[in-house]
Amino acid sequence: MKAEARWFKALADETRLQIIWLLLQAEELCVCDIMAVLGISQSKASRHLRYLYNVGWVQDRREGLWMYYRLAPQGRWEGLLLPALRTLLAELPEAQKLRQRLADWLKAKKKAEAAEGSEAGCSACAFNSL
């Protein structure tokens, strides 16, 4: 039961729970997206993402200088827990605010990338958060 305990321990931290919620809203997010929406530093975001990665909640992918994260393919535990988390968290006002902040951030990011003509990576890492 050690592995299962680690899965639940990962959910016991508010920042990690928020990150999972954000990843439930989008197929994939750059670390800068998570930083901007949650208003946290790169080191804090990376530390929590690495924890989630080590436990098996997320997968990562590097594209140039940028790291992108997505929820890991669903196994038995994820298949049971993620739908329950999605349902439970969706009812919380804080989760609804985070969903809106993510939507606003991604819209601003897309607009900035279009203005710069950037298609090579996450140019949002270079501009300020909302």
Side-chain angles (χ1 to χ4, degrees):
M1 290 192 197
K2 287 183 182 183
E4 290 76 14
R6 289 183 65 206
W7 270 80
F8 285 106
K9 184 178 177 184
L11 299 177
D13 182 88
E14 183 178 7
T15 300
R16 290 192 294 265
L17 196 55
Q18 290 172 333
I19 290 170
I20 290 171
W21 172 248
L22 293 177
L23 291 171
L24 282 166
Q25 307 309 305
E27 182 177 324
E28 183 176 69
L29 294 172
C30 177
V31 69
C32 68
D33 300 327
I34 294 165
M35 291 167 48
V37 174
L38 297 181
I40 59 176
S41 68
Q42 185 273 331
S43 62
K44 184 173 183 177
S46 293
R47 185 176 68 247
H48 286 292
L49 286 161
R50 187 54 38 195
Y51 187 97
L52 292 170
Y53 176 86
N54 288 334
V55 173
W57 277 104
V58 301
Q59 292 180 325
D60 62 1
R61 150 182 98 78
R62 180 176 294 279
E63 186 174 311
L65 299 174
W66 301 280
M67 289 298 292
Y68 292 86
Y69 292 86
R70 65 177 49 226
L71 292 171
Q74 293 187 7
R76 180 172 181 261
W77 280 98
E78 303 94 324
L80 294 171
L81 293 175
L82 286 176
L85 280 174
R86 183 186 310 263
T87 300
L88 292 170
L89 294 176
E91 299 173 3
L92 300 176
E94 298 92 342
Q96 293 168 11
K97 288 178 187 176
L98 278 178
R99 181 186 302 149
Q100 187 58 53
R101 287 181 66 186
L102 178 62
D104 293 344
W105 167 255
L106 293 176
K107 184 178 177 181
K109 177 179 161 181
K110 187 174 182 177
K111 185 177 178 180
E113 288 173 346
E116 293 177 9
S118 172
E119 294 184 21
C122 185
S123 65
C125 292
F127 72 88
N128 294 328
S129 63
L130 296 174

